[in-house]
Amino acid sequence: MASADSVVDLLIVGGGPCGLAAAISAQRAGLKALVLEGHVVVSTIAHYPTHVKFFSTAEKLSLGAVPFVVAAEKPSRRDALAYYRAIVRHFAIPLRQYERVTSIERGANGFLVRSDSRVAGPRTTRARNVVVATGYFGSPNLLGVPGEELPHVTHVYREGHEAFDQDVVVVGGGNSAAEAALDLWRSGARVTLVHFGPTFDKKIKPWVLPDFLNREKEGSIAARWNSRVTAIERGQVQIATETGAECLPASLVYVMTGFAPNMDLLRAVGVPIDPVTGIPQHDPTTLETTVPGLFIAGVVVAGFDANKVFIENGRYHGDQIVARLAGRPVPTAPRLSPELDT
């Protein structure tokens, strides 16, 4: 583990799968790496719904050529957490958890990375190069309506038991919204889904869509398509529909509108961020930003469109970065699975 006066070759901000993959790539190239994670390792996955299953198959989520073996076709959240913990141990990845990076400063011979450890307090680490692989969890896409801050409103879904025999509203049209609505209904909640579009997003999981549509058809789950939330109040949600305003009863509201990467660290160190796409200015081949020695990896590369980068392709970003540092040709990452690359 890096001490306060040591220098690491590559400091990785973010201990998700893409950050861990970058650390493995660095160590294999003989570089001294360090991962700083503000929460627990693979924290985004840790915050997934308790019983969720991945879209990708296990081999598409593996790191460092270590097989990810599960009995089922699709791995679960619990499977993934166990696998990535094993990856950290197998590769002896230097990882400091619960240490949030507060700033990255460019120096004469690299970077000063300031962080706040839950145990050790403020720390400063020197690094020759830095990768920002902070993911997207913790920066929800807000509705921007009155009442969104109320205690019965959440942007994170865990499981449906808390909503037994309750009126709930789920907002969104992606996989998280559909799966939350189904799980809530199966847990005994009275569910209404609200989405601004005429149907679900095009990348809805193929095994989820017919399940939801059948529940809607039989009247088990209600849906308000082409509708928007205008206000959230205690016990109810106001929406605007094609036929006018409507008030929906709701003791719990799940806003499943996704997340966007937090670009504050990059912006503060001088990396331009495209205001339309949210993409940091960088070389798409090496992933190096306009600040020499500062790289990005994972969903940060995609800006606001998190559906372009998954574990399946982001796990190769470390190879691109390390190739740049080693002066080697940058390898071409394999294509996404057909169901993701649409």
Side-chain angles (χ1 to χ4, degrees):
M1 193 66 66
S3 62
D5 58 351
S6 66
V7 180
V8 297
D9 296 309
L10 190 65
L11 187 146
I12 300 151
V13 185
C18 298
L20 298 180
I24 294 169
S25 298
Q27 291 188 154
R28 283 178 165 171
L31 302 177
K32 185 177 182 180
L34 172 66
V35 179
L36 300 185
E37 166 57 51
H39 199 261
V40 68
V41 66
V42 294
S43 61
T44 295
I45 297 174
H47 284 89
Y48 279 1
T50 304
H51 305 294
V52 75
K53 288 189 176 294
F54 281 79
F55 204 134
S56 299
T57 53
E59 68 271 14
K60 301 289 187 178
L61 305 175
S62 64
L63 304 182
V66 175
F68 183 179
V69 180
V70 294
E73 179 186 4
K74 307 284 185 177
S76 68
R77 165 187 173 273
R78 189 176 184 185
D79 292 330
L81 293 179
Y83 175 77
Y84 292 122
R85 291 196 302 267
I87 284 293
V88 173
R89 292 281 176 83
H90 177 78
F91 289 102
I93 296 173
L95 168 68
R96 297 207 299 245
Q97 299 178 95
Y98 300 102
E99 184 166 337
R100 183 176 62 88
V101 172
T102 56
S103 70
I104 302 169
E105 301 174 15
R106 189 76 171 98
N109 298 306
F111 298 88
L112 291 178
V113 179
R114 303 190 188 280
S115 55
D116 187 9
S117 166
R118 189 166 74 177
V119 175
R123 305 177 75 165
T124 300
T125 307
R126 293 188 292 156
R128 293 184 177 88
N129 303 279
V130 173
V131 177
V132 174
T134 46
Y136 58 80
F137 186 80
S139 304
N141 296 318
L142 300 175
L143 296 174
V145 300
E148 193 170 6
E149 75 288 347
L150 289 171
H152 68 294
V153 181
T154 180
H155 291 83
V156 178
Y157 183 77
R158 298 307 298 267
E159 60 179 355
H161 179 73
E162 66 182 7
F164 169 69
D165 200 28
Q166 302 292 304
D167 294 305
V168 303
V169 167
V170 177
V171 183
N175 283 305
S176 59
E179 291 184 293
L182 287 165
D183 189 48
L184 286 161
W185 168 69
R186 292 194 165 94
S187 299
R190 296 177 291 276
V191 184
T192 302
L193 181 135
V194 177
H195 182 46
F196 65 79
T199 186
F200 283 113
D201 300 340
K202 65 179 181 178
K203 291 188 176 181
I204 196 79
K205 295 175 182 176
W207 61 89
V208 170
L209 182 58
D211 191 2
F212 183 94
L213 294 179
N214 287 333
R215 304 294 76 75
E216 181 188 9
K217 184 177 180 180
E218 71 188 16
S220 299
I221 296 176
R224 299 292 186 272
W225 305 107
N226 297 310
S227 302
R228 291 184 180 273
V229 173
T230 56
I232 301 173
E233 303 169 4
R234 293 185 182 274
Q236 61 186 18
V237 173
Q238 303 289 342
I239 67 171
T241 74
E242 292 180 304
T243 58
E246 185 179 355
C247 180
L248 302 174
S251 58
L252 291 164
V253 180
Y254 299 89
V255 183
M256 303 286 97
T257 51
F259 295 80
N262 188 322
M263 302 296 181
D264 290 347
L265 286 174
L266 293 167
R267 189 176 289 109
V269 77
V271 177
I273 311 295
D274 188 289
V276 176
T277 65
I279 297 175
Q281 191 171 330
H282 68 284
D283 183 320
T285 301
T286 65
L287 302 180
E288 189 169 18
T289 69
T290 54
V291 177
L294 179 62
F295 300 81
I296 55 177
V299 297
V300 177
V301 173
F304 299 140
D305 190 358
N307 286 325
K308 287 185 177 179
V309 176
F310 304 87
I311 299 172
E312 188 172 317
N313 55 347
R315 61 185 174 153
Y316 296 105
H317 288 169
D319 291 340
Q320 296 174 245
I321 293 166
V322 171
R324 159 68 180 84
L325 296 178
R328 301 195 303 258
V330 176
T332 301
R335 288 179 58 85
L336 282 170
S337 299
E339 60 267 37
L340 294 177
D341 191 18
T342 56

